[in-house]
């Protein structure tokens, strides 16, 4: 069965068409006139892509913009699904009295038996606005998620990463998604804006600052497994060069994200690291 992934990123819209569990056979993207723009910019870019590439009509898996969604990772005792959903809603209600829509994805189990949960939330009015946008495009919604979930699926299904403790940096224009994993278990995730004008990879100080924050988190959590590597994606090696000296001072080697073995089909000439939302969106 065909799957369509629509990813609303900070500075562009990406669409991937493929088959779940197999791979992607079509990719296209359109950059926004203004990074982090309003919903109408995402809508105009998506409309352009559907018209130019004659993309299939149907229901899409929507990846929410990182700027409109919140994420937390925490542990909860085993419980029934309904009770778990209520617990996640309570945990995510830290944004005051504004109405939230919250959901969760199980991402592992602690040695103690506690469940590891990736929780996400979005303001109800923002979500309604995006769903209305999809309906104006003549499409439906098959599922909704946040940027960290498809990336986590790639981490989970890439042997080189899931067997190590490492940091992943995904550059989304002038935004950065940073993730800490330990043997395939996601321990930390944060989505942050860096420089407004230049790409995030050019803001070496900001990138090093986020890596240092992850190291402080590991120290507080008393994580003893040595970090073996930093993987990066979403930018070319030349663009990432400004970050290398600072990372070396912290004792890290940085290498491009390896290809996920579970994605058996991918358009020739494309780097999977530039299409993480679309590639991860094809994994079950």
């Amino acid at each position: 069965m065909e799957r369509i992934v629509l990813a609303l990123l900070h500075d562009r819209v990406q669409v991937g068409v493929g088959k779940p569990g197999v791979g992607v056979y079509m990719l296209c993207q359109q950059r926004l006139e203004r990074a982090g723009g309003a919903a109408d910019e995402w809508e105009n870019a998506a409309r352009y892509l559907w018209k130019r590439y004659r993309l299939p009509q149907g229901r899409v898996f929507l990846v929410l913009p990182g700027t409109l969604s919140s994420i937390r990772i925490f542990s909860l005792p085993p419980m029934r699904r309904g009770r778990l959903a209520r617990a996640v809603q309570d945990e995510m209600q830290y944004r005051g009295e504004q109405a939230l829509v919250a959901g969760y994805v199980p991402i592992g189990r602690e040695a103690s038996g506690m469940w590891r949960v990736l929780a996400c939330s979005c303001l109800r009015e923002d979500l309604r606005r995006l769903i209305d946008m999809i309906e104006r495009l003549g499409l439906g919604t098959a599922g909704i998620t946040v940027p960290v979930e498809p990336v986590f699926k790639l981490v989970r299904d890439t042997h080189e990463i899931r067997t190590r403790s490492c940091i992943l940096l995904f550059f989304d224009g002038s935004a950065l998604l940073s993730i800490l994993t330990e043997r395939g278990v996601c321990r930390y995730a944060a989505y942050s804006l860096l420089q407004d004008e230049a790409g995030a990879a050019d803001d070496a100080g900001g990138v090093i600052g986020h890596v240092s924050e992850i190291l402080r988190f590991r120290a507080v959590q008393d994580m003893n497994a040595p970090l073996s590597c930093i993987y990066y994606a979403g930018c070319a090696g030349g663009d990432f060069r400004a970050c290398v000296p600072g990372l070396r001072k912290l004792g890290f080697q940085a290498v491009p994200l390896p290809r996920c073995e579970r994605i058996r089909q991918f358009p020739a000439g494309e780097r999977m690291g530039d299409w993480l939302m679309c590639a991860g969106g094809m994994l079950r």
Side-chain angles (χ1 to χ4, degrees):
M1 183 177 179
E2 191 173 68
R3 175 174 291 183
I4 308 167
V5 176
L6 170 60
L8 306 180
L9 303 181
H10 185 64
D11 67 342
R12 61 198 184 279
V13 170
Q14 291 187 337
V15 179
V17 184
K19 187 175 181 181
V22 177
V24 185
Y25 56 77
M26 184 175 186
L27 293 166
C28 56
Q29 69 176 351
Q30 175 67 15
R31 293 196 175 273
L32 305 180
E33 293 184 8
R34 181 165 48 94
D40 61 334
E41 290 204 42
W42 284 311
E43 180 174 350
N44 292 338
R47 191 180 302 277
Y48 170 81
L49 291 174
W50 253 266
K51 181 177 180 180
R52 176 177 178 181
Y53 296 100
R54 298 182 180 180
L55 297 171
Q57 298 294 116
R59 302 170 68 201
V60 301
F61 281 83
L62 175 66
V63 181
L64 294 174
T67 50
L68 296 185
S69 54
S70 298
I71 53 176
R72 289 185 65 193
I73 298 173
F74 48 83
S75 298
L76 290 171
M79 61 184 73
R80 294 183 182 274
R81 183 175 299 179
R83 187 181 171 195
L84 177 58
R86 289 192 296 272
V88 168
Q89 183 77 31
D90 291 341
E91 287 279 351
M92 298 302 289
Q93 197 61 49
Y94 65 94
R95 293 175 71 173
E97 298 301 320
Q98 295 173 298
L100 293 176
V101 178
Y104 69 92
V105 179
I107 57 173
R109 188 181 288 266
E110 304 280 9
S112 63
M114 297 280 281
W115 285 347
R116 199 78 179 152
V117 175
L118 166 65
C120 52
S121 67
C122 178
L123 291 178
R124 190 176 297 276
E125 61 183 85
D126 288 338
L127 185 59
R128 182 70 262 173
R129 191 158 51 243
L130 294 177
I131 292 175
D132 289 344
M133 176 197 80
I134 290 174
E135 291 176 351
R136 286 194 297 272
L137 293 170
L139 305 169
T141 306
I144 300 173
T145 190
V146 292
V148 70
E149 186 194 4
V151 177
F152 168 71
K153 287 181 177 178
L154 287 169
V155 169
R156 178 199 66 194
D157 290 348
T158 303
H159 178 76
E160 180 179 330
I161 301 178
R162 72 171 179 265
T163 57
R164 312 170 85 175
S165 296
C166 53
I167 295 172
L168 169 64
L169 303 175
F170 170 61
F171 296 93
D172 175 12
S174 56
L176 174 68
L177 174 61
S178 48
I179 297 175
L180 168 67
T181 69
E182 291 199 330
R183 295 191 174 276
V185 177
C186 187
R187 298 291 184 184
Y188 171 99
Y191 186 92
S192 309
L193 295 179
L194 298 177
Q195 292 185 12
D196 290 333
E197 300 297 331
D202 295 321
D203 184 7
V207 173
I208 302 305
H210 282 283
V211 172
S212 298
E213 185 175 332
I214 292 176
L215 297 180
R216 288 192 292 271
F217 171 83
R218 293 186 82 246
V220 170
Q221 298 295 318
D222 198 25
M223 297 179 183
N224 298 317
L227 281 174
S228 56
C229 189
I230 291 180
Y231 295 100
Y232 66 88
C235 67
D239 297 334
F240 190 74
R241 192 173 297 134
C243 303
V244 172
L247 294 176
R248 282 179 178 165
K249 288 181 180 179
L250 293 175
F252 292 112
Q253 176 189 11
V255 297
L257 184 75
R259 180 164 178 152
C260 176
E261 311 89 70
R262 288 282 304 280
I263 303 292
R264 301 195 300 274
Q265 181 180 357
F266 207 74
E270 296 288 355
R271 295 183 306 180
M272 191 173 294
D274 294 334
W275 302 89
L276 294 188
M277 306 302 138
C278 297
M282 295 299 163
L283 295 172
R284 295 188 174 96

